[in-house]
Amino acid sequence: MKYRVTTATRTSRVAGLVTLAVLVFVALAPQWGTRADLRLIVEFCYFLALAQMWNLLAGYAGLVSVGQQAFVGLGGYGLFVFTIYLGVSPLMAMLLSGIAAAIFALPTAFVVFRLRGAYFAIGTWVVAEVYRLSFAQVSALGGGSGKSLPISVIRSIADSRAEREVLIFYVGLAVAVFATGIVYWILRSRHGLALTAIRDSEPASESLGVNNFNAKLVIYVIAAAVTGFVGALIFIQKLRISPDAAFALTDWTAYVIFIVVIGGIGRIEGPIIGTIVFFVLQEFLAELGTWYLMILGIMAVVIMLKAPQGLWGLVADRFGIQFFPVQRRLHVEATRDKEA
Amino acid sequence: MAELLRLDGASKLFGSLVVIDDLSMHLDEGEALGVIGPNGAGKTTLFNLISGGLKPNAGTVRFGGRDITAVSPHRRCKMGIGRSYQIPHPFEGMTVFENLLVGACFGTDRAEKQCYEPCAQILEQTGLIAKANRLAGSLTLLERKRLELARALASGPRVLLLDEIAGGLTEAECSELVETIREIRTTGMSIIWIEHIVHALVSVVDRLMVINFGRLIEDGDPHAVMKSPMVQEIYMGISAE
């Protein structure tokens, strides 16, 4: 008997082409879009990247962190430290900020990995607060009131404002594609099998030879690196940083959780759908101020109760489609095909 | 025969409750050992001590001549201890085939592609091949029990720990499963099998162990053990008088 294993499906091939077409269209935005369009797309990109990372943590590794703003903040401050005090070029500084966030993730993991479930969530939050309060003490970085990126550094990104915006736009697009791509790549790898197993049953995965602790640690560090890079991107766009903005629970974690929950946790497509929904809502409801946040909260609660698999989950489960197929399907090629 | 597994003076306490009480036991390579005892006797805890889910408060666990008392569960799996759970723990969001892949990839430390063929063969052997691409969450109880067995086999065990694998099944389903286990036995696989369905157990195992209150009560030939007055009284509830 012959065995063959495939992952791709017909819809996934079509989806691949559609994704590519959309990407090309978006990549040409500097030709067709206004400055405001570019800015909005960069915001979309960094929320998508943050959401992909949070989904990887919570949806697969079972690490429900509410402290990812720690790494956004570390990455953001990393940008300022590397460019202002170490004279590194901005793009290189963004990469180094991601690496720095990953390095900080190790001692952070050492603390929070001792905690389980809800305690883990609270622990990550507390650690993020510790980082926020610590950075507020550093007067060289502007203490509690923050610091602006000096003109010399801004000029070193690119000479004109238009060029800077285009450069930041492409970095944003790249990180969104990278974040989605790395999640997809991890899930299709051997490590992805372990993660999905951990998501479904920790005792069973451990007793089948999976080192749960290491598998989770690797994911925590990868998520920190990408989140840190995104942090640097956010603050190179904003040009000004303060502890409250850098370590903002609402902006960098609460919205991100909303995006993942609405879109569909534990699925690669979830963060994409969630980010689209989030930006559409923001477009129409942002003037409502506090009411906007309440509407987001109510939506999240309703989705969690009525459709815990998220909006994408509703569609995917009904029609059996996967845009990013990670399932391995076994085909038996014998005298007769016994595939179910 | 070479000794594969040994527990020496193992004890496990949950607070002040003694669940395993100074228990010593062994298993030879290629041997099939049955374990019976009333509910709460400590059978599943014994499995947890062997598979590493729990660490004993006293005593040692040796496997293949090595002291593994401090070794973590995933390392023990790689060494060759495969277990199935009494309440099936399928990876519900993964297909049946992927469930086996996890065991094969990590239990034996092989590249994923090298696991495809062995996993497909185990699916054949355990009668799950037709369900290979179904999500594990959609399986019936019998299929879930088969999946527990198949997944443990995929991890390439030297000893298979079966925890009430026939529990909750109908008579017909039970004998089907016993047939599968008997086939696995023909490959020389060592097993330790906890089961309440005694006739199923006795038809397969070489040796039977009875535990009660975490202590070893009887150990020996299955038929002799079942006839012993102490077992009749403790396990079957028949008075020795």
Side-chain angles (χ1 to χ4, degrees), chain A:
Chain A
M1 247 183 249
K2 274 276 208 220
Y3 306 105
R4 199 163 48 84
V5 176
T6 57
T7 47
T9 59
R10 186 175 298 158
T11 43
S12 76
R13 286 185 205 106
V14 174
L17 288 175
V18 172
T19 310
L20 202 66
V22 171
L23 262 180
V24 169
F25 176 71
V26 174
L28 291 172
Q31 315 300 320
W32 54 257
T34 62
R35 289 182 53 208
D37 290 336
L38 292 193
R39 211 182 159 78
L40 191 69
I41 296 171
V42 173
E43 276 180 30
F44 183 92
C45 285
Y46 63 64
F47 270 110
L48 175 56
L50 290 178
Q52 287 291 5
M53 288 304 116
W54 194 80
N55 185 37
L56 187 60
L57 286 174
Y60 286 96
L63 297 168
V64 182
S65 166
V66 290
Q68 288 311 96
Q69 68 274 22
F71 301 111
V72 172
L74 286 169
Y77 271 103
L79 174 77
F80 281 65
V81 170
F82 286 120
T83 54
I84 300 172
Y85 297 104
L86 300 170
V88 180
S89 76
L91 273 182
M92 183 54 79
M94 291 172 77
L95 282 176
L96 290 175
S97 301
I99 294 168
I103 292 168
F104 272 92
L106 288 169
T108 307
F110 183 75
V111 177
V112 294
F113 272 40
R114 289 157 186 266
L115 308 168
R116 297 256 160 258
Y119 297 97
F120 174 84
I122 294 164
T124 55
W125 185 10
V126 169
V127 170
E129 282 298 290
V130 169
Y131 282 131
R132 182 176 69 84
L133 295 169
S134 308
F135 275 91
Q137 301 305 311
V138 183
S139 51
L141 292 169
S145 54
K147 194 174 181 73
S148 294
L149 215 50
I151 303 290
S152 61
V153 172
I154 296 172
R155 287 252 164 77
S156 72
I157 304 169
D159 286 329
S160 71
R161 189 168 72 181
E163 280 174 302
R164 281 198 292 275
E165 282 170 351
V166 170
L167 185 71
I168 289 169
F169 167 78
Y170 282 114
V171 173
L173 195 59
V175 75
V177 171
F178 178 80
T180 307
I182 199 173
V183 172
Y184 187 39
W185 179 77
I186 289 172
L187 291 179
R188 289 185 65 142
S189 74
R190 203 168 165 274
H191 201 81
L193 276 177
L195 277 186
T196 318
I198 289 172
R199 178 193 69 186
D200 289 352
S201 169
E202 290 199 29
S205 64
E206 181 83 19
S207 63
L208 287 170
V210 177
N211 186 337
N212 289 357
F213 182 89
N214 278 5
K216 289 177 172 195
L217 184 64
V218 167
I219 292 308
Y220 190 71
V221 171
I222 290 174
V226 176
T227 305
F229 184 89
V230 171
L233 171 69
I234 292 169
F235 289 97
I236 207 169
Q237 195 192 40
K238 292 192 188 300
L239 302 175
R240 180 173 175 79
I241 198 164
S242 69
D244 290 344
F247 297 95
L249 171 72
T250 321
D251 291 353
W252 314 133
T253 299
Y255 286 161
V256 169
I257 295 176
F258 170 84
I259 287 170
V260 176
V261 167
I262 288 280
I265 195 166
R267 302 164 192 263
I268 303 180
E269 298 90 343
I272 301 173
I273 303 298
T275 313
I276 293 170
V277 171
F278 177 68
F279 273 78
V280 168
L281 287 176
Q282 203 177 40
E283 200 60 30
F284 291 108
L285 303 174
E287 312 88 89
L288 298 180
T290 316
W291 280 102
Y292 162 64
L293 290 179
M294 287 187 190
I295 292 169
L296 285 191
I298 291 165
M299 269 193 76
V301 170
V302 170
I303 295 264
M304 275 189 262
L305 290 176
K306 295 292 173 192
Q309 70 276 48
L311 293 177
W312 177 254
L314 280 180
V315 177
D317 290 351
R318 172 156 303 177
F319 301 106
I321 41 175
Q322 280 186 309
F323 274 11
F324 294 90
V326 292
Q327 214 166 60
R328 289 118 173 120
R329 300 182 69 80
L330 177 72
H331 304 276
V332 183
E333 290 156 2
T335 42
R336 62 204 168 98
D337 195 351
K338 285 204 274 183
E339 195 209 333

Side-chain angles (χ1 to χ4, degrees), chain B residues 104-121:
Chain B
C105 281
F106 295 94
T108 63
D109 263 331
R110 272 177 300 183
E112 193 187 317
K113 283 204 166 59
Q114 290 173 299
C115 299
Y116 292 159
E117 185 104 26
C119 285
Q121 277 162 2

Side-chain angles (χ1 to χ4, degrees), chain B residues 1-67:
Chain B
M1 264 189 281
E3 188 178 85
L4 186 61
L5 176 78
R6 165 170 289 279
L7 261 70
D8 272 312
S11 292
K12 181 69 199 175
L13 288 79
F14 293 144
S16 60
L17 182 70
V18 182
V19 183
I20 295 289
D21 188 3
D22 192 24
L23 188 140
S24 298
M25 61 160 285
H26 74 281
L27 180 79
D28 286 337
E29 194 106 46
E31 193 183 19
L33 170 66
V35 180
I36 59 170
N39 286 324
K43 304 183 295 296
T44 298
T45 304
L46 175 67
F47 268 15
N48 280 326
L49 293 182
I50 298 171
S51 70
L54 295 171
K55 303 267 179 282
N57 296 86
T60 57
V61 184
R62 300 181 69 81
F63 183 72
R66 266 184 63 187
D67 186 342

Side-chain angles (χ1 to χ4, degrees), chain B residues 66-88:
Chain B
R66 266 184 63 187
D67 186 342
I68 59 161
T69 316
V71 173
S72 59
H74 69 269
R75 296 278 312 282
R76 293 192 197 192
C77 172
K78 289 187 207 293
M79 293 171 74
I81 299 178
R83 80 169 286 182
S84 77
Y85 285 91
Q86 181 179 356
I87 299 159

